[in-house]
Amino acid sequence: MNKRQTGAQKEQQVCAYLIAKGVRVKEQNFRCRQGEIDLIGYDGEYLVFFEVKYRSGSSKGTAAEAVGLAKQKKICRVADYYRMLHHCPEDTPIRFDVVALESGRMKWLQNAFPYRGMG
């Protein structure tokens, strides 16, 4: 299995997990010119943008550590575009979560990073 196939399989696994936890998944692999977001859905009243990270080992650091500042800014730009495209009200609460898969375990890190918009 190549990296892309492994990534798709892991994202499906996370999607099923989040649905079982009550998340209403709206999009998978949302892409635009600004970049891509793995999963988008509602957790209660929050519109949540999920980054899925998988690591087969720890030689390159943890899965959560792979979502650095540059990646966070890119996710926020894509989230802004998604919200504009879907006419989300300005007061819609949003959150940025990371779901990390490593060592056979899944960790859902809610509010993994703050909104990093323009400015």
Side-chain angles (χ1 to χ4, degrees), residues 77-104:
R77 282 193 304 273
V78 177
D80 285 343
Y81 179 75
Y82 178 87
R83 291 165 50 214
M84 187 258 329
L85 188 67
H86 292 276
H87 308 289
C88 295
E90 283 287 318
D91 61 348
T92 301
I94 63 170
R95 202 173 70 211
F96 298 94
D97 293 1
V98 173
V99 181
L101 296 128
E102 52 198 352
S103 305

Side-chain angles (χ1 to χ4, degrees), residues 32-103:
C32 65
R33 289 175 62 182
Q34 288 81 10
E36 182 226 354
I37 294 179
D38 296 326
L39 295 165
I40 301 170
Y42 283 91
D43 182 25
E45 65 184 275
Y46 283 87
L47 175 59
V48 185
F49 300 92
F50 296 93
E51 178 68 11
V52 176
K53 282 296 173 190
Y54 168 70
R55 289 287 182 266
S56 56
S58 59
S59 64
K60 294 181 181 176
T62 67
E65 289 170 346
V67 185
L69 186 58
K71 181 70 171 175
Q72 292 173 22
K73 287 179 178 179
K74 181 178 271 198
I75 291 169
C76 290
R77 282 193 304 273
V78 177
D80 285 343
Y81 179 75
Y82 178 87
R83 291 165 50 214
M84 187 258 329
L85 188 67
H86 292 276
H87 308 289
C88 295
E90 283 287 318
D91 61 348
T92 301
I94 63 170
R95 202 173 70 211
F96 298 94
D97 293 1
V98 173
V99 181
L101 296 128
E102 52 198 352
S103 305

Side-chain angles (χ1 to χ4, degrees), residues 9-48:
Q9 178 192 35
K10 298 302 179 185
E11 285 176 12
Q12 283 302 115
Q13 186 181 343
V14 168
C15 188
Y17 169 81
L18 292 172
I19 289 169
K21 294 288 187 180
V23 173
R24 297 181 326 273
V25 174
K26 296 294 183 189
E27 300 266 356
Q28 289 183 254
N29 299 110
F30 175 79
R31 287 183 174 88
C32 65
R33 289 175 62 182
Q34 288 81 10
E36 182 226 354
I37 294 179
D38 296 326
L39 295 165
I40 301 170
Y42 283 91
D43 182 25
E45 65 184 275
Y46 283 87
L47 175 59
V48 185

